[in-house]
Amino acid sequence: MGIQILNKDVSVISNVIGKLKASIGSIFGTTGWAGGGGGGASQGPLAGTAPATVNTSVGSVSWSNLANLFSTSLSSDSTLPYFSIPVRSYYIVGQGFGFSIPTGATINGIVVTLQAKSYDTQGAGNNARDYSVKIVKNNTITGTDKSTLASLTPNNTYVNRTYGGSTDLWGETWTAADINNSNFGVAYSAELNVVAKNVVTVDVRNLRITVHYTT
């Protein structure tokens, strides 16, 4: 229980810093921070403040330690069996980011970042890969899949992933209300597509979203 409280505190602090940047930008008209005098602006990167959830619309393997998805030090985990490939995880879904985009703003792009790694429990070096990365709009997993099917490193080392961009809308149209909705978020699924000697575990952490907009 103590660890979960710490993870929540980290996410809250991260969001407070992001919103402080936004407030400073609105005062000084700083491009790249919120409220930049009518120019390009952004909020984030922000972390969710609630434990992640699991969506079973893809895959067959669940996730554990859902409260750790937004942590910078602990992780959410999916253990993929090695005896039948390809095998895919369910979506792990992060929401509750607490955005406060100004009403009437034009949404220009959405950037999602996270850290992920994979490892074979017998040290054989087999690795998994991203399978699906989608946006969550009004509590529905939707839009363009941003996974490149890029492999995760097999040596138990986290890699930084970036999906979307400052002008990438993920195949959707957006209002400020869509982004500010507590059900806005992102869904991630991993896949094992090579024969392994034992189960392969995928760890994901440090999920963040940045939203770019103009006012």
Side-chain angles (χ1 to χ4, degrees):
M1 182 63 69
I3 291 176
Q4 293 180 358
I5 293 172
L6 176 60
N7 290 339
K8 181 177 180 181
D9 291 343
V10 170
S11 297
V12 170
I13 292 169
S14 175
N15 287 358
V16 168
I17 292 172
K19 290 180 180 181
L20 282 174
K21 288 181 178 180
S23 299
I24 294 170
S26 67
I27 296 172
F28 295 102
T30 305
T31 300
W33 284 354
S42 66
Q43 277 188 25
L46 300 185
T49 56
T53 58
V54 170
N55 179 287
T56 61
S57 59
V58 300
S60 58
V61 182
S62 195
W63 293 82
S64 59
N65 301 311
L66 297 177
N68 296 339
L69 181 60
F70 307 110
S71 172
T72 58
S73 58
L74 302 174
S75 65
S76 299
D77 318 293
S78 184
T79 300
L80 306 176
Y82 66 96
F83 48 80
S84 177
I85 60 170
V87 59
R88 294 156 185 159
S89 75
Y90 293 144
Y91 281 122
I92 184 169
V93 181
Q95 296 170 290
F97 287 84
F99 282 97
S100 55
I101 305 296
T103 301
T106 299
I107 308 302
N108 298 322
I110 299 168
V111 181
V112 173
T113 59
L114 57 80
Q115 294 179 304
K117 68 178 180 180
S118 70
Y119 59 95
D120 187 316
T121 56
Q122 294 297 310
N126 296 95
N127 59 310
R129 65 183 183 179
D130 297 341
Y131 174 65
S132 181
V133 184
K134 284 193 167 187
I135 208 71
V136 180
K137 181 180 181 181
N138 295 325
N139 212 33
T140 299
I141 298 173
T142 186
T144 305
D145 196 330
K146 293 300 173 180
S147 171
T148 62
L149 300 180
S151 293
L152 303 172
T153 54
N155 58 356
N156 204 20
T157 301
Y158 282 102
V159 293
N160 297 315
R161 288 284 203 248
T162 300
Y163 311 96
S166 60
T167 59
D168 189 334
L169 295 174
W170 297 61
E172 293 288 329
T173 58
W174 299 92
T175 65
D178 293 329
I179 302 296
N180 297 341
N181 191 313
S182 62
N183 289 321
F184 169 70
V186 66
Y188 176 91
S189 171
E191 174 185 60
L192 178 64
N193 70 320
V194 294
V195 176
K197 293 183 178 180
N198 210 305
V199 293
V200 172
T201 297
V202 175
D203 294 345
V204 179
R205 70 181 186 185
N206 202 19
L207 176 65
R208 300 290 186 269
I209 298 181
T210 301
V211 174
H212 296 262
Y213 65 94
T214 52
T215 57

